[in-house]
Amino acid sequence: MTSSHPTKESADIVIIGGGIVGISILRSITQCNNNLKVILIEAQSDLLSQASGSNSGIACTGVDATPGTLERSLIRDSISQIRPFCRDMNIPMRECGSLVCLWPWDGDGNGDGNGNGNDDGDDDGDGDAPTTDDTQTKTMKEAGSSSNHDTHDSCIVDSRLVTVAEESWDAGDSHAKILSSSQLFNSKHQVNEPHLSKSCKGAVHIPGEIVLDPWLFGIALASQARQCGGIIYTNWKYDPSKSFRRQKSNDDTDASTDIDNNGGPYLWTLVRDLDDNGVDVEGLPVEIHTKIVINATGIQSDLIQSKTQNVPESVYEARPRRGQYKIFASTSTSSTSATSNQQDFHLTRPIQPVPTQRTKGIFVFSSLYNQIIVGPTALDQSSRVDRSIHENVANQLTQYVQKLLPNLDVNDSNVIGEYVGIRPGTNRRDYQIHCYPTENWITVGGIRSTGLTASLGIGRYVVHSLLSILVPGIVL
């Protein structure tokens, strides 16, 4: 419907982008000071509708993030907050840890993101099972007492599993364990997955990882932010070509536009783009005047910054990475009459491959709602919006999950759905969070596949960044 809009509204801070990162930033700021007027604007009709609405819902511990990076530190900060937050907000979660598994086909480093085994980090590229020389394997004893193992010292462990365990211990996960294949299938062992293929050569159990409902997690963040006074506008598409930052001069007299009651200048005028918006929503302002802008637009963040007047060019380039998933009903193909075609096929823990420098690889896990999910792939593409299903990739996902879970019914009739998320990778390895004090602008970009996991840490980090650009009238 059409309606008349207020020509403008004012705010202390405006956040552009209603994904998990933008919402977490809104929550963090409003919890620090609920007297601030903070507005979040989202171009789509719903929050969490882009990358944040198409992730796995697994909160990881950051073991695969490079030590010393901002990503690693923010994941570690965030994971310590996720459990109490989920409990306080009644968000369903399964505190199960995950299994990083080694397979016979992992002789070349496990994967191009499709389970094809030709990813970066190849060892020899021949696909053969690892040898047992000193460069490839260690005994449990050599792997170190921190593994808390209960196998015989003579048990041979591939060096890649030892590396995963050592990285986990270095990251603070002191309870990570190296498990032999016999332990994985021993019903008396604390960590076992009876449905897993017996070809698994061993695994590392990382106990700190969590399966949760990613949509409810984000909505709970938004709910808390609104309770603290945060304002959320959907269907508010930011127009960078018409928005601008104005310089405050001594002869400015329009107090309603430029100065609030505390003397703080509204330096930014953000303009809503109505040209491509098919739905006009009553009550949305056409302009928002604000003191500080936070750009949390994910895969579009570099373009939003570069196209906005009076802001330096983005120092990074977004590189879209497609992650495709396939969802199966939890139906076993077991031939026994007691279990045939019953909805009792369940994985307690996410199964993941040994990660490479390029990708964490394809996960296989049970959702909180008794579904088997396989994905994501990791395929670079030029388009920032193409989320179409690729049939060849879907077939590869089916073949991959069949290798790991041979008794899972993978017939088309057992497929519940498929989806694709576009992760905001960049030409740089680390998160790209940049503060521009002169321009009263912060860009939060490059939050690749770990946005949900790191979201609470990112929110707190941005609050600290705001301290360097506070203007009169803003106190955190």
Side-chain angles (χ1 to χ4, degrees):
M1 64 181 176
T2 59
S3 63
S4 60
H5 296 280
T7 57
K8 61 192 175 188
E9 187 170 343
S10 61
D12 294 297
I13 301 170
V14 170
I15 301 163
I16 310 173
I20 191 72
V21 171
I23 294 171
S24 184
I25 294 169
L26 177 68
R27 169 185 176 267
S28 294
I29 296 172
T30 54
Q31 284 193 326
C32 285
N33 185 342
N34 60 11
N35 292 319
L36 292 177
K37 185 173 182 180
V38 188
I39 297 176
L40 181 147
I41 54 177
E42 164 57 41
Q44 305 299 317
S45 58
D46 298 301
L47 299 174
L48 306 165
S49 59
Q50 300 297 312
S52 298
S54 51
N55 61 36
S56 64
I58 299 174
C60 63
T61 60
V63 62
D64 67 310
T66 304
T69 59
L70 183 60
E71 179 180 23
R72 166 73 76 89
S73 65
L74 296 186
I75 288 175
R76 298 301 296 181
D77 179 33
S78 185
I79 199 71
S80 66
Q81 305 175 61
I82 286 178
R83 287 177 178 82
F85 174 73
C86 288
R87 294 188 188 107
D88 289 345
M89 299 300 291
N90 293 316
I91 300 169
M93 63 174 172
R94 188 168 74 243
E95 301 176 71
C96 54
S98 66
L99 289 174
V100 179
C101 294
L102 188 70
W103 302 95
W105 54 83
D106 284 342
D108 63 354
N110 195 64
D112 61 353
N114 287 321
N116 293 333
N118 58 0
D119 202 354
D120 297 344
D122 288 2
D123 290 330
D124 55 20
D126 60 10
D128 293 334
T131 61
T132 57
D133 60 32
D134 291 339
T135 62
Q136 285 289 328
T137 62
K138 294 183 179 182
T139 66
M140 281 291 208
K141 185 174 182 178
E142 290 171 324
S145 59
S146 297
S147 64
N148 297 318
H149 61 83
D150 55 9
T151 63
H152 297 95
D153 287 348
S154 61
C155 178
I156 299 299
V157 180
D158 189 279
S159 61
R160 282 165 291 184
L161 292 180
V162 175
T163 298
V164 171
E166 289 174 342
E167 289 175 346
S168 298
W169 300 330
D170 291 344
D173 298 322
S174 59
H175 296 291
K177 288 184 180 180
I178 301 174
L179 303 175
S180 67
S181 58
S182 61
Q183 288 175 313
L184 287 173
F185 307 113
N186 184 347
S187 60
K188 296 180 180 180
H189 196 270
Q190 184 179 6
V191 179
N192 72 90
E193 292 291 347
H195 296 296
L196 202 59
S197 169
K198 299 301 188 290
S199 64
C200 181
K201 300 173 69 64
V204 177
H205 178 226
I206 303 176
E209 307 206 331
I210 308 166
V211 178
L212 49 77
D213 186 318
W215 187 82
L216 286 178
F217 186 86
I219 293 301
L221 290 174
S223 176
Q224 276 198 343
R226 293 191 65 186
Q227 288 176 353
C228 293
I231 299 170
I232 298 174
Y233 290 145
T234 56
N235 285 319
W236 210 104
K237 185 178 180 182
Y238 170 73
D239 188 339
S241 66
K242 296 178 182 177
S243 302
F244 60 92
R245 177 177 59 88
R246 61 185 300 169
Q247 300 291 337
K248 185 73 180 75
S249 61
N250 293 329
D251 59 356
D252 276 337
T253 58
D254 186 357
S256 65
T257 301
D258 297 313
I259 301 291
D260 72 356
N261 293 333
N262 296 313
Y266 293 117
L267 298 177
W268 280 98
T269 296
L270 307 186
V271 179
R272 182 176 173 223
D273 182 1
L274 299 176
D275 294 342
D276 299 323
N277 194 351
V279 179
D280 206 5
V281 180
E282 184 176 0
L284 294 182
V286 175
E287 294 183 0
I288 301 177
H289 300 273
T290 186
K291 304 169 185 177
I292 297 173
V293 177
I294 300 173
N295 168 19
T297 52
I299 194 63
Q300 305 294 339
S301 59
D302 61 330
L303 297 181
I304 290 294
Q305 178 170 333
S306 297
K307 291 180 179 181
T308 299
Q309 304 174 55
N310 309 120
V311 181
E313 287 284 322
S314 173
V315 298
Y316 64 91
E317 176 187 347
R319 292 183 176 174
R321 179 167 290 176
R322 147 188 297 268
Q324 186 164 322
Y325 295 81
K326 199 165 188 177
I327 309 171
F328 297 88
S330 300
T331 303
S332 172
T333 58
S334 172
S335 60
T336 62
S337 58
T339 59
S340 179
N341 296 324
Q342 297 299 309
Q343 301 291 322
D344 61 354
F345 194 103
H346 180 74
L347 287 171
T348 302
R349 300 160 192 85
I351 308 301
Q352 58 177 299
V354 175
T356 70
Q357 284 296 311
R358 182 177 183 272
T359 174
K360 288 171 69 85
I362 295 175
F363 282 50
V364 177
F365 63 100
S366 289
S367 73
L368 296 176
Y369 308 108
N370 201 32
Q371 303 155 336
I372 298 294
I373 301 177
V374 54
T377 55
L379 300 174
D380 295 328
Q381 65 178 32
S382 58
S383 172
R384 302 185 185 217
V385 297
D386 179 12
R387 298 166 66 182
S388 59
I389 299 296
H390 290 178
E391 191 62 31
N392 64 320
V393 175
N395 292 334
Q396 290 167 359
L397 288 172
T398 298
Q399 295 167 9
Y400 185 78
V401 75
Q402 256 186 317
K403 290 198 293 186
L404 273 61
L405 306 176
N407 289 329
L408 178 68
D409 182 356
V410 296
N411 292 317
D412 290 345
S413 59
N414 204 44
V415 175
I416 295 176
E418 300 172 273
Y419 63 98
V420 171
I422 301 177
R423 285 165 277 173
T426 70
N427 58 339
R428 301 189 176 190
R429 278 287 298 169
D430 203 0
Y431 286 175
Q432 298 298 303
I433 303 180
H434 299 285
C435 179
Y436 302 91
T438 302
E439 290 78 15
N440 284 18
W441 179 283
I442 296 176
T443 288
V444 183
I447 314 298
R448 49 186 191 108
S449 61
T450 51
L452 183 148
T453 301
S455 57
L456 300 182
I458 293 170
R460 294 211 298 195
Y461 184 83
V462 171
V463 166
H464 289 297
S465 298
L466 280 169
L467 296 175
S468 65
I469 60 174
L470 291 182
V471 296
I474 295 184
V475 178
L476 291 177

